[in-house]
Amino acid sequence: MTVMEDVIVKNIRIQNLVATLQIAENLNLEYINQITSGMKYNPVIFPGLIYRLKELGTTLLLFKSGQVVCTGAKYNEDINRSIKTLIKVLKGANLEVFKNPNITIQNIVATYNLDVRLDLNEVAIGLGLENIEYEPEQFPGLVYRIVEPRTVILLFQSGKVICTGAKQIEDIELAINKLKDELHTYLENKGSEYKREDIHLDYNSH
């Protein structure tokens, strides 16, 4: 199952897709920076060339190895359009690029809302201290590391959840359902308005 154009299910929202691809055998970043506009390159500060596409809300990071990182996309189509734009720019500069580069999703960041306020001290004990990090003096959220699927959940007092580290949409579904299982007893005790429901992601295009 691939990341579709829109994923909004029971307050689950995809906020950022991070993808990588090999667009060429190598890239001359100095040359690209000189002959194209809208790019920033300062190798003293950062080894990659930065190309921001404001209309898509994405940022492309180009490296000498020919690797490209695309970040900031919320929809799969934004990634595809960003890469097509980059290929057009590079071809316009008479640079050789791969015709159909393989795009790999490396990280998916999603948000969810439990719709209930939490006592994170109680939650930390309930989830097991070996799996969590909670130091409110340094960071207001509780960090919950899930081994399978390999994801990290940030949990806040407001009930807001941020899930990161997933490489597949299914991993988000599994991680949030696992969190809800772990919190089931605690959340039910918070009030009768809470009902345990599995999250099953649907995929809707614009």
Side-chain angles (χ1 to χ4, degrees), residues 82-202:
S82 298
I83 300 307
K84 287 180 181 178
T85 298
L86 176 62
I87 289 176
K88 183 177 180 180
V89 169
L90 295 179
K91 283 186 175 180
N94 295 318
L95 295 174
E96 292 187 5
V97 297
F98 297 138
K99 186 176 181 180
N100 295 305
N102 183 45
I103 301 172
T104 303
I105 300 295
Q106 299 292 352
N107 186 26
I108 304 172
V109 180
T111 57
Y112 177 72
N113 200 324
L114 292 168
D115 292 323
V116 63
R117 292 189 66 80
L118 303 170
D119 183 326
L120 294 183
N121 288 307
E122 292 182 10
V123 172
I125 296 173
L127 292 178
L129 298 178
E130 70 278 6
N131 297 320
I132 66 97
E133 297 174 18
Y134 182 48
E135 298 181 17
E137 299 83 5
Q138 298 182 19
F139 180 69
L142 182 151
V143 181
Y144 178 37
R145 301 184 186 279
I146 298 179
V147 177
E148 185 61 41
R150 191 178 181 85
T151 51
V152 175
I153 284 181
L154 307 179
L155 189 59
F156 297 89
Q157 188 178 39
S158 64
K160 182 178 179 180
V161 176
I162 298 176
C163 181
T164 185
K167 293 189 177 183
Q168 302 179 69
I169 288 293
E170 294 90 339
D171 291 344
I172 296 172
E173 177 182 329
L174 291 170
I176 291 179
N177 281 329
K178 183 168 185 176
L179 173 68
K180 290 169 74 71
D181 282 336
E182 296 287 346
L183 296 177
H184 181 45
T185 301
Y186 169 74
L187 290 175
E188 281 197 323
N189 290 336
K190 295 292 290 183
S192 59
E193 74 281 359
Y194 174 75
K195 294 181 180 180
R196 170 68 173 90
E197 294 181 353
D198 280 339
I199 300 301
H200 299 291
L201 296 181
D202 294 328

